[in-house]
Amino acid sequence: MNIALIQAPMQWEDIAVNFSFFEREILSLKVGTDLVILPEMFLSGFTMQPKQVAISMDHDYIVCLKRIAHDRDLAIVGSLVIEEEGRFYNRLLFIEPTGKVHKYNKCHLFSLAGEEKVYTKGDQRIIIEYKGWRICPLICYDLRFPVFARNKGEVYDLLIYVASWPDQRIYAWDSLLKARAIENMSYTIGVNRSGTDENDNEYSGHTQVIDYLGKSNVEPLLGQMISYVTLDLVKQQKARLRFNFLGDADDFKLIQ
């Protein structure tokens, strides 16, 4: 699968400017791209003021993203602030070329920033089947909780994290992404933002791709950029059969 990673800054809480930027970036992608991944809250930055930036699921921006996905024959994934029935969600959308939209509400809300005070917590992860791949998309702080991402019984082939992960904790980002890839024998992609936010947090990025054995396919990226990677599902399947680490894993039941 051919994947594009967009690492970029955002204009604070300016959804019109951010949408125009990411729209241009997506339209500029190479022909043959199957999937493009955007950062967490790509329309606003990681804000605790959801009323300022929230949109509905039938908003023109989502309609436009669906049209782009169809016209360019690619899937688009990223998180944004959604308002639904009076509640706000940090919601990841996976928009297929067919127009089908999968949604995942962030399950681990970042208490250090008070995210749980203004956003409604999700209650389950999702697995998406797309072009022969089983994909598990998660959001930022979810990365710190390995049980939630555990690939029990080879449920997924690709683990994705979209994030707003600041530089003061970037070593943890790098280390945990590699750990998730190794322990789950899965390609793992982390797409982070860059730039500076309204709270003076610095983001160098470190968007990266790690394979099922912990090897870097894309080294941590710095600054604003688009990077491409091609992943090989057959190689991953062969490695899983050869080593069978997942088959030797402990059995458990996740209780939330």
Side-chain angles (χ1 to χ4, degrees):
M1 179 153 56
N2 300 314
I3 301 175
L5 320 170
I6 300 182
Q7 176 173 282
M10 297 124 186
Q11 295 298 314
W12 186 252
E13 296 183 352
D14 193 331
I15 65 173
V17 168
N18 291 320
F19 181 82
S20 294
F21 171 80
F22 283 105
E23 180 184 26
R24 290 194 302 271
E25 295 294 281
I26 296 170
L27 290 174
S28 75
L29 296 176
K30 294 178 181 178
V31 175
T33 299
D34 298 306
L35 172 65
V36 56
I37 307 174
L38 314 179
E40 179 183 22
M41 292 193 186
F42 66 88
L43 287 185
S44 61
F46 187 64
T47 176
M48 296 302 105
Q49 301 293 328
K51 290 183 180 180
Q52 307 295 325
V53 300
I55 64 174
S56 64
M57 287 297 292
D58 60 358
H59 193 280
D60 288 347
Y61 289 159
I62 295 179
V63 173
C64 184
L65 290 173
K66 290 169 70 174
R67 183 172 64 250
I68 293 170
H70 174 268
D71 292 347
R72 294 302 175 106
D73 191 28
L74 53 74
I76 301 170
V77 59
S79 96
L80 60 166
V81 180
I82 295 291
E83 183 176 7
E84 198 169 72
E85 297 181 350
R87 295 183 176 185
F88 299 103
Y89 298 89
N90 182 351
R91 178 172 291 175
L92 179 145
L93 301 183
F94 189 107
I95 304 172
E96 295 192 34
T98 61
K100 184 174 183 179
V101 179
H102 306 269
K103 59 185 182 182
Y104 162 71
N105 295 322
K106 189 176 183 181
C107 286
H108 297 91
L109 300 181
F110 190 48
S111 58
L112 187 62
E115 189 178 11
E116 81 287 357
K117 296 176 182 178
V118 291
Y119 293 95
T120 298
K121 178 181 181 291
D123 58 7
Q124 62 182 344
R125 73 181 195 185
I126 63 172
I127 304 296
I128 299 161
E129 294 189 8
Y130 175 66
K131 293 200 170 183
W133 290 73
R134 297 165 299 174
I135 301 171
C136 179
L138 300 175
I139 303 175
C140 202
Y141 195 43
D142 288 329
L143 178 60
R144 287 188 176 271
F145 304 96
V147 174
F148 187 66
R150 190 64 179 170
N151 200 1
K152 183 181 177 183
E154 297 187 24
V155 173
Y156 62 79
D157 310 301
L158 173 60
L159 182 60
I160 295 173
Y161 291 93
V162 303
S164 289
W165 198 290
D167 283 356
Q168 59 262 43
R169 294 182 293 278
I170 203 66
Y171 180 78
W173 166 259
D174 293 340
S175 301
L176 293 171
L177 282 172
K178 183 166 285 191
R180 298 296 87 81
I182 294 170
E183 69 197 9
N184 294 302
M185 285 208 78
S186 175
Y187 285 112
T188 300
I189 298 177
V191 173
N192 196 20
R193 63 161 293 173
S194 61
T196 305
D197 69 16
E198 189 73 5
N199 299 310
D200 294 323
N201 291 306
E202 297 285 344
Y203 303 85
S204 58
H206 281 224
T207 290
Q208 57 194 279
V209 182
I210 303 166
D211 79 5
Y212 40 88
L213 295 177
K215 178 182 177 182
S216 291
N217 287 176
V218 174
E219 296 285 347
L221 306 174
L222 300 177
Q224 181 179 328
M225 65 187 328
I226 298 175
S227 183
Y228 296 90
V229 65
T230 299
L231 305 184
D232 190 325
L233 182 58
V234 173
K235 285 185 177 180
Q236 178 170 271
Q237 290 171 332
K238 288 181 178 178
R240 286 178 172 179
L241 288 171
R242 178 183 177 189
F243 296 110
N244 194 37
F245 298 145
L246 295 178
D248 295 334
D250 298 316
D251 192 21
F252 66 91
K253 183 177 181 180
L254 180 61
I255 301 174
Q256 291 185 292

